Amino acid sequence: MMAADQTDTDRADRADQQTVYERAEQQVPTAVVDAALAGARDTSYWLDSPDRPSPEPPLTQDTTTDLLVVGGGYTGLWTALIAKERDPARDVLLLEGNEVGWAASGRNGGFVSTSLTHGRSNGLQHVPDEVDRLDELGRQNVEEMRQTLERHGIDCDFEWNGTLTVAIEDHHVQQLRAAHAEDPDTTYFDQEQIQAEIASPLYRAGLWDHHESALVDPARLAWGLKRACLKLGVRIHEHTTVSGLQRTGSGSAARMVATTGGTVEGIPAPPAPLPEETYDGGHQTPQGAAPDAVVTARRVVLATNVFRSLLPTTGLFTVPVYDYALVTEPLTEEQERAIGWDRRQGLDDPDSRFHYYRLTTDRETGRQRILFGGYDAVYHYGRRVLPEYDQRPETFRRLAAHFLATFPQLEGIRFTHQWGGAIDTCSRFFSFFDTAHGGLTARAAGFTGLGVGASRFAAQVLLDLVSGEKTELTELQIVRKRPLPFPPDPIAWAGIELTKREMIRADRQGGKQGLWLRFTSALGMGFDS
C-alpha cells in the first residue's frame, strides 16, 4: 500500500494549506531525524533473517512439465501449491529469476486485504454488478488462506485483527463517520476513544473494520509456501530467468517452449555454476550467466508482475511504482505501554498520500517493533525497474519525521531497517488477467499494493484459465475485462506527475478534488497503490 509523492514545487505552492504531516517535516528537528535513521540497514527487515532458506539450484538441463510457473513471488507460489493440491499427479515446475520471495513478496507491509478490488468504492466504479460477490469471494479467500497455512504448518504470524483507519485532519473525521454510517459493523472511535485505543497526539478519530485485513510476516509466508510446494512435489529452480516463450505444434499436440538464460532488468544475474558442478545454496555465490535450458510445458502461468512480461502486447497495462518503509528497533515495555495498541490492528490514514503501519513481534526479544511505510509513490521515467531505486534517503527522512510526530512518546527510538522496491500498478488498481497462445498461457498482474491476499485468488483464476474450462471465476468481469492501458512515456510520465500534484493539492484542501482528478476518475483511470 502507498500514496503520491511530494515535490519541492508543491511545497512552494503557498496558496494551499499544509497538511499535518507536511508541518511535521518542518517541526521535527533534523538532528532527531538523523539520529533515528543512523545505522539503519538498507534491506527489508523481513528478509534480513537467519531463517532465510537456501535457494534451490538453477535449472541446468532441458526438461518437460505439465505446468510451468514463471515467478517465485506469491502469485507463482500459490499457483504451484494449489495446482498440486487440485491434482497431486500433475508435474509442476516453478522457475524464479532470483530467490523465492525476494522482491515485492518479501518487502511489503504484510497486510492481507479481503478486498479484491482495492476497496469497495473502487469496485463499484469498475465492476458494480459484481462487487457484492467479489466481497464474498475476498473474505472467503483470506479464510481459505488461513486454513491453508494451518494445514501446511506455515508459521508466518498470521493475525486477523482488521484495519483501523485514523483521522489526522478535521475532514477525515467526517469521512470516517460517514463510512461507519454505511457499515455499522465497523467500530467508530471519537477522539477520546481513539487515544485510549492507540495514543497519538495526531489522532482525532478512528474507524475499525474488524475483518478488512489480516497481518503476516511476508517473507515467512513466501518461505512457508515454498516449503509446502517442495513437500507436495513441486520442482523449484531459483536463479533461473526465463528469456523466451513460444508455442509449438497444434491441437492436442500443442506445447509451450520456454528458454532460460540471460538477464531481466531489475533481477540480479543468476549465479555461475560452481566448480565440480556443485551448488552450495549460499547467498554470496559469484554472479554470472546460468546455463541455458529449454522447458517444454503443456501449460504456462506467468507470475512476474512488475518485471518484464513475456507477453509483449501487455507492457502498457502496468507501471512500476516504488514504495518505501522503515522498521523500528524493539520497543521497551515502557514504550509499548505509552502507545497502547493492544488489539494490534493494521493502521492507515485516509489521505491520498497515506501511510500504512503495524506491529510485528521481534522473534529474538519478544518485544514489539513498528513498521511504518507509504506516503511517497515514485515513478521513474521509462518504466525502469532498477536496484538503485530501492533506496531513497529523502523518503526515509520524510517517513521518519512523520513517525516521530505520530508517536512523540517514543523519543530516542531508532530505525534498524530502511528499504523500498517496485510494485506493479494498473489504472483500475486491482489485478487483471491475460491469456495467450491459444489459452495455453495465462498471466496476472496489476495488484497495486494489495497482492498479499489477492495473489491467492489470482492463482485460482489462472489455473481455471489454463484448464480451458469455463468456471465462475473465468466468467467474472474482473477476469474478462482489462483496465485501460497507460500511454508510453513521456505522456504517461507527465500524466502521473500531474495526477500526483493534484492529489497533493486535494489533501491540502480538505480532500476536495480538482477537475483533473474528477476527469481521470470518470474515465476509470488513475494512479494509486
Side-chain angles (χ1 to χ4, degrees):
M1 292 190 294
M2 301 177 298
D5 191 15
Q6 177 181 5
T7 67
D8 291 338
T9 302
D10 294 314
R11 286 178 173 276
D13 188 350
R14 302 180 187 279
D16 292 329
Q17 181 181 358
Q18 286 189 322
T19 65
V20 166
Y21 280 120
E22 287 174 328
R23 292 194 294 273
E25 292 171 32
Q26 300 171 1
Q27 294 166 355
V28 178
T30 299
V32 173
V33 171
D34 290 343
L37 291 170
R41 294 170 61 88
D42 294 341
T43 188
S44 165
Y45 166 72
W46 310 112
L47 295 172
D48 189 19
S49 168
D51 298 327
R52 184 173 181 172
S54 297
E56 298 300 301
L59 180 67
T60 59
Q61 50 189 300
D62 297 352
T63 187
T64 61
T65 187
D66 295 323
L67 175 66
L68 170 63
V69 179
V70 182
Y74 294 141
T75 306
L77 291 165
W78 280 117
T79 300
L81 182 66
I82 296 171
K84 288 296 285 186
E85 288 186 328
R86 288 184 179 184
D87 181 4
R90 174 164 35 188
D91 184 73
V92 179
L93 172 66
L94 185 150
L95 301 181
E96 163 55 43
N98 191 347
E99 295 180 17
V100 161
W102 76 280
S105 297
R107 60 187 179 219
N108 62 82
F111 286 71
V112 187
S113 177
T114 59
S115 177
L116 300 175
T117 58
H118 211 93
R120 182 175 175 84
S121 61
N122 190 55
L124 286 169
Q125 180 178 3
H126 292 279
V127 283
D129 296 337
E130 289 182 351
V131 71
D132 289 337
R133 179 56 178 154
L134 290 172
D135 284 349
E136 293 175 359
L137 289 171
R139 290 189 292 270
Q140 176 183 317
N141 177 58
V142 176
E143 171 57 22
E144 289 176 353
M145 175 187 289
R146 185 196 64 78
Q147 295 173 8
T148 301
L149 300 177
E150 184 176 315
R151 184 167 65 251
H152 289 283
I154 297 174
D155 179 12
C156 60
D157 299 332
F158 182 95
E159 304 177 75
W160 202 339
N161 301 328
T163 300
L164 177 57
T165 301
V166 291
I168 306 297
E169 309 280 357
D170 287 339
H171 66 274
H172 294 162
V173 177
Q174 313 220 343
Q175 291 178 29
L176 298 188
R177 282 177 178 161
H180 176 58
E182 293 179 5
D183 185 359
D185 289 335
T186 58
T187 298
Y188 177 79
F189 298 103
D190 62 22
Q191 187 164 19
E192 181 179 352
Q193 292 167 331
I194 191 61
Q195 294 297 329
E197 186 75 15
I198 305 174
S200 169
L202 301 187
Y203 296 170
R204 306 181 184 203
L207 185 67
W208 184 10
D209 187 327
H210 297 258
H211 307 292
E212 195 279 331
S213 70
L215 294 172
V216 294
D217 178 320
R220 290 180 182 275
L221 172 59
W223 300 337
L225 290 173
K226 173 185 173 179
R227 286 191 294 270
C229 285
L230 290 170
K231 186 175 181 180
L232 292 183
V234 175
R235 293 186 288 149
I236 297 178
H237 291 280
E238 295 171 83
H239 293 297
T240 304
T241 59
V242 177
S243 53
L245 186 65
Q246 62 181 356
R247 173 174 167 153
T248 183
S250 60
S252 60
R255 296 291 185 272
M256 297 303 303
V257 177
T259 54
T260 71
T263 60
V264 173
E265 182 180 85
I267 301 179
L274 295 177
E276 301 180 2
E277 299 183 349
T278 61
Y279 187 75
D280 67 357
H283 298 288
Q284 303 300 322
T285 309
Q287 297 296 297
D292 291 349
V294 175
V295 179
T296 303
R298 293 179 178 272
R299 299 290 187 272
V300 176
V301 165
L302 301 178
T304 53
N305 296 318
V306 77
F307 298 105
R308 185 189 70 203
S309 173
L310 291 166
L311 305 180
T313 59
T314 65
L316 293 178
F317 286 93
T318 63
V319 293
V321 180
Y322 278 77
D323 179 36
Y324 299 90
L326 304 172
V327 161
T328 70
E329 63 189 351
L331 274 60
T332 65
E333 291 185 24
E334 182 180 358
Q335 288 173 327
E336 289 181 13
R337 287 194 298 269
I339 292 178
W341 208 345
D342 295 333
R343 292 192 273 194
R344 303 177 60 83
Q345 306 97 323
L347 267 61
D348 62 21
D349 55 66
D351 262 343
S352 300
R353 298 169 293 171
F354 66 85
H355 305 84
Y356 56 88
Y357 40 128
R358 44 88 51 101
L359 294 169
T360 185
T361 303
D362 181 80
R363 289 187 173 250
E364 290 186 8
T365 66
R367 311 306 311 171
Q368 300 307 307
R369 294 174 179 259
I370 301 175
L371 178 145
F372 193 80
Y375 199 77
D376 282 352
V378 182
Y379 171 71
H380 295 280
Y381 188 92
R383 288 177 162 87
R384 304 299 301 277
V385 180
L386 298 175
E388 52 262 39
Y389 295 156
D390 292 352
Q391 294 295 311
R392 196 167 190 262
E394 58 266 47
T395 292
F396 297 141
R397 294 180 60 79
R398 183 171 295 137
L399 286 173
H402 295 182
F403 178 90
L404 295 168
T406 303
F407 297 121
Q409 65 267 51
L410 301 183
E411 182 180 359
I413 193 78
R414 291 180 179 271
F415 298 100
T416 60
H417 295 76
Q418 56 185 18
W419 73 94
I423 63 169
D424 56 330
T425 189
C426 69
S427 61
R428 72 184 188 186
F429 314 148
F430 57 89
S431 58
F432 64 91
F433 301 85
D434 296 296
T435 57
H437 306 118
L440 301 186
T441 302
R443 170 187 181 239
F447 291 96
T448 319
L450 292 185
V452 184
S455 57
R456 182 187 178 277
F457 174 80
Q460 298 179 89
V461 172
L462 291 166
L463 289 170
D464 285 2
L465 287 171
V466 295
S467 76
E469 300 178 1
K470 287 186 178 182
T471 68
E472 179 191 9
L473 299 186
T474 63
E475 295 305 293
L476 290 170
Q477 291 181 41
I478 65 167
V479 176
R480 292 187 289 108
K481 292 173 57 178
R482 285 181 176 183
L484 290 173
F486 292 98
D489 284 334
I491 300 173
W493 180 85
I496 289 170
E497 289 302 306
L498 177 57
T499 299
K500 292 194 296 183
R501 182 182 297 275
E502 289 302 308
M503 291 167 73
I504 292 169
R505 190 184 300 275
D507 287 346
R508 292 173 175 171
Q509 295 182 336
K512 182 180 179 181
Q513 293 187 345
L515 288 175
W516 175 255
L517 292 182
R518 294 200 299 271
F519 171 68
T520 55
S521 178
L523 289 178
M525 188 170 189
F527 178 79
D528 200 355
S529 58

